[in-house]
Amino acid sequence: MTAARRPNRGPKAAAHNRAALIAAARDAFAASGYDTSLTDVARAAGVGQGSLYRHFPDRLSLALAVFEESIGELEALAAKPGTTLDEVLALVTEQAIASTTFVRLVTMPPQPDPRIIELRERVQRLLEGGLAEAQRAGRVRAEVTTHDLLLAIGMLALLLAELPDQTERTEAAERIWQMLRHGIET
């Protein structure tokens, strides 16, 4: 007995399918990393691979759609008056604990793809303000750069990617930042 096929709702389903794909990809990237199976993503979203590739022509397009929400959260926090570098780094850490894929994507060595470069520059800009404020207040060493912070965040993400569950990731992230703070704080 074959499963009943869902009727094709055509263009009316496009927004729903896109949202379902993003939600399924978010879960898949969190569970399996950037190299997760796109076939599994489409299946989890309840759509065919054709729908997946109509919305997202490649893996990176899908990842960028997923992580647009994450970068938006970071930018909103960084834009609030009085936000500290510690608060921004805490949110980055929360995002890394939930899914190392986003953090690894923006902290990887520079990629030729302009979409990754633009995403990385957005993260760098939001770190710049908090870093400058922390340096003016004497909490962070003057020689620390945003590149240093991105490097530290990237190292954090690489380690967290190797840990199997969120509890271990949370504990490791706390220990890592404790050690890293000794290198950047005055």
Side-chain angles (χ1 to χ4, degrees):
M1 182 173 170
T2 60
R5 264 181 80 99
R6 287 186 328 170
N8 184 341
R9 298 183 327 172
K12 293 184 285 186
H16 171 77
N17 289 349
R18 179 180 170 80
L21 285 162
I22 290 171
R26 181 176 291 109
D27 292 343
F29 288 143
S32 304
Y34 185 72
D35 295 324
T36 193
S37 163
L38 295 185
T39 299
D40 291 347
V41 169
R43 189 175 299 121
V47 302
Q49 283 190 287
S51 288
L52 173 95
Y53 288 108
R54 263 192 302 283
H55 289 283
F56 307 104
D58 55 33
R59 180 180 303 276
L60 180 58
S61 297
L62 179 60
L64 293 172
V66 168
F67 299 120
E68 181 60 36
E69 184 177 303
S70 296
I71 191 80
E73 288 175 10
L74 287 167
E75 288 171 332
L77 176 62
K80 287 182 184 175
T83 297
T84 66
L85 179 62
D86 281 341
E87 291 170 319
V88 173
L89 291 175
L91 182 54
V92 169
T93 303
E94 284 177 32
Q95 292 175 347
I97 289 167
S99 176
T100 59
T101 302
F102 168 66
V103 175
R104 290 179 74 184
L105 192 64
V106 298
T107 59
M108 290 187 306
Q111 303 293 312
D113 192 301
R115 297 170 296 176
I116 293 177
I117 293 168
E118 193 270 332
L119 187 66
R120 182 184 178 99
E121 288 172 352
R122 285 172 67 186
V123 172
Q124 190 167 337
R125 281 191 303 270
L126 67 90
L127 290 172
E128 283 171 351
L131 176 60
E133 183 277 324
Q135 288 171 325
R136 278 191 302 276
R139 292 189 310 270
V140 173
R141 296 171 193 251
E143 66 272 12
V144 175
T145 67
T146 54
H147 178 73
D148 296 331
L149 293 177
L150 285 171
L151 182 62
I153 292 165
M155 291 185 311
L156 172 79
L158 285 171
L159 178 67
L160 296 182
E162 300 302 317
L163 299 176
D165 67 45
Q166 194 159 344
T167 301
E168 288 182 86
R169 288 179 181 177
T170 301
E171 291 169 359
E174 288 171 8
R175 289 193 317 269
I176 291 166
W177 277 120
Q178 186 176 25
M179 288 185 290
L180 288 172
R181 279 192 175 92
H182 289 290
I184 66 171
E185 293 179 347
T186 57

